[in-house]
Amino acid sequence: ERLGEAYQKLLIPCLRWKGTVVTLSLLVFAGSLVLVKKVRQEFIPPQDQNILIISGQTPPGTSLETTNQVSKEIEAALKTVPEVESFIVSVGSGGGSSAQVNQIFIPARLKAREERSIPHTEVMNKIREAFKPIKGVRMTMRDISSRNLSAGRPNPIAISLRGPDFTVLSAKAQELMQKLEAEKLGVDLDTDYKPGIPELLVEPRRDVMAQKGVSIDTVSLTLAAAVGGLRQGRYTSDGRRFDVRFKLPDEALQTVADIKRLYVRNIAGNLIPLSDVVTVKEGVAAQSITRVNRQRAVSVFGNLAQGQSQAKVLKRAQEIARSILPAGYTFALEGASAGFDEAFTSLYAALLIGVLVAYLILAVQFNSFVHPLAILMALPFSVTGALLALWLFNQSLNLFSFIGLIVLMGIAKKNSIMLVEFTNQMREHKQLDPFSALKEACPVRLRPILMTSVATLTAALPLVLGQGMGIETRIPMGLTIMGGTFVSTVLTLFVVPALYLLLVSWERHSHHKAALEASQQTKADESTLASYKTGYEL
């Protein structure tokens, strides 16, 4: 009761200076929007799940034996990091014609979070330092925070460059990566375009082949048999069928000269040296060719530098891409980067639609277009409190904190509804003027408002103080709810009554005047009925 009396003493000056209070509150909200640029924005915060995915790539064309030797150096470097509990090294990937013998894949398990003094992001930095002395391999790392939440690449930086020429795309991809690394915006940057795989180009000399009676089919069959082998039959043994293939031994084909020493038969059955009918050249080729919507595409992907905002990095990456790409070339976000952009666009739209629907429902409930404005005045203050809490505790605005913000909207609105509804009841039943009704109603509703807010703060506290896997997603959500609830509750108690009183002049045909007239008409009808009854009794 003493708290209610103190609140009433503070409320009366706010009601008398209602215009000033509302203006100052709006300025506070506008000033808090500056924090949007200061708070980091990202799709999913990095989560310490005790697992890291490490990838290595030697230059295209590197043999499996050489790649295996490099993997042993990587293995030795990983053993020097005490936070790494175990790992598996897989050299080469795929099979058959799709084999990539220059790839190294290492899933690494870290020690339990409780046994480590540093988070997994710091462990990644230590591993990068351990890999620096290793030459002839490009190492990248990523965590698995955004798995199953977006299609495509899970990397927080993923941009697709598209255009007609792979040479231009490759050069611009390298330029983009260099600028992002120079500005310390990204780490572990890489591209999916891998040129430089050595290949032999065998070009037929058609005029010589025609003179010597050698067909192109004969040359192609000879090369296929020598290099890849040809199946010439099958046999069955122990219920299984086996292919019969023939080819030259691998050691017989090691150089270009070995290819030139092969022979082919002409139409007369004579042996003709292969070097007489073809020209053999050494060249390079790409490891794979990617197309998106029939356009040639090269992807640039990687991780954020420590402490960087994903929104800021992606915006800067798009600015760089826009400035370096020539005419006829485009870029687009993909994977987790596209998921971040689409998710935030959808969440902003959902937030605005939610506010609009809330206004329409309140307008129907209160039979007024004015009172919902006073009720919804609490929503901007909840945003202010949420941004302030995230900024003070160095947390990011991400998918989970945005969900907490949407939840917060419903909680903050309930306190305003209690104030406005009870004030309306005071005006209708006691026939008080708006100022007196607010002075009487607000202190009465102080207790349930505080109970609601305290219950909300207490319920969100375990999200902030809890430990264990996944705390990186729970802390931003809890801070959003707690900060928004606290600030909106404090400001709602003073600003909503001030705005209510300010909007009273707009109540030309509001339900209050209609209810007052109905009440007066009811009393007149009761008086008339009483006089009729008295006359009847007489």
Side-chain angles (χ1 to χ4, degrees), residues 350-422:
L351 191 63
L352 293 176
I353 293 173
V355 172
L356 178 61
V357 171
Y359 175 80
L360 296 177
I361 293 175
L362 291 172
V364 173
Q365 180 181 353
F366 285 90
N367 193 26
S368 170
F369 290 105
V370 174
H371 295 151
L373 296 177
I375 293 173
L376 297 178
M377 187 66 177
L379 302 186
F381 304 141
S382 62
V383 175
T384 299
L387 292 175
L388 187 62
L390 293 175
W391 178 65
L392 288 176
F393 290 92
N394 193 27
Q395 296 295 324
S396 65
L397 180 62
N398 52 61
L399 179 64
F400 299 98
S401 53
F402 216 116
I403 292 174
L405 188 62
I406 294 176
V407 172
L408 182 61
M409 294 295 179
I411 299 172
K413 192 164 73 267
K414 290 182 179 295
N415 294 336
S416 301
I417 291 175
M418 285 191 284
L419 284 178
V420 174
E421 175 65 21
F422 198 60

Side-chain angles (χ1 to χ4, degrees), residues 74-87:
I74 297 173
E75 182 177 350
L78 276 177
K79 290 180 179 179
T80 63
V81 182
E83 289 79 10
V84 177
E85 184 177 71
S86 60
F87 56 89

Side-chain angles (χ1 to χ4, degrees), residues 49-60:
Q49 302 183 30
N50 303 333
I51 296 177
L52 293 179
I53 303 299
I54 305 173
S55 300
Q57 185 178 41
T58 55

Side-chain angles (χ1 to χ4, degrees), residues 43-45 47 49 144-154 335-340 342-343 398-400 403 473:
F43 182 44
I44 299 294
Q47 303 174 53
Q49 302 183 30
I144 55 175
S145 301
S146 60
R147 60 178 177 178
N148 302 326
L149 290 175
S150 63
R153 299 186 184 278
S337 298
F340 163 78
E342 294 171 2
N398 52 61
L399 179 64
F400 299 98
I403 292 174
T473 61

Side-chain angles (χ1 to χ4, degrees), residues 138 156-161 172-190 299-306 308-321 323-324 333 337:
R138 185 179 184 90
I157 301 176
I159 296 181
S160 175
L161 306 181
K172 297 305 177 183
Q174 295 295 329
E175 185 177 353
L176 175 60
M177 290 191 295
Q178 290 173 3
K179 290 190 175 184
L180 290 177
E181 290 176 345
E183 297 180 15
K184 298 182 179 180
L185 299 176
V187 293
D188 302 327
L189 297 176
D190 200 1
S299 297
V300 175
F301 51 88
N303 297 322
L304 299 172
Q306 191 168 7
Q308 291 291 345
S309 168
Q310 186 178 11
K312 176 184 175 182
V313 173
L314 291 180
K315 181 180 178 181
R316 179 56 183 155
Q318 293 181 76
E319 291 175 353
I320 296 174
S323 64
I324 65 177
L333 299 177
S337 298

Side-chain angles (χ1 to χ4, degrees), residues 8 32 49 79 93-94 101 126 277 283 325 403 413 488 522:
Q8 188 180 50
S32 67
Q49 302 183 30
K79 290 180 179 179
S93 61
V101 297
K126 292 182 66 174
V277 295
L325 288 178
I403 292 174
K413 192 164 73 267
S488 65
T522 301

Side-chain angles (χ1 to χ4, degrees), residues 27-49:
L27 290 176
V28 169
F29 169 68
S32 67
L33 295 181
V34 178
L35 296 176
V36 174
K37 295 184 177 180
K38 294 187 177 182
V39 173
R40 290 182 291 109
Q41 298 181 36
E42 55 191 357
F43 182 44
I44 299 294
Q47 303 174 53
D48 195 338
Q49 302 183 30

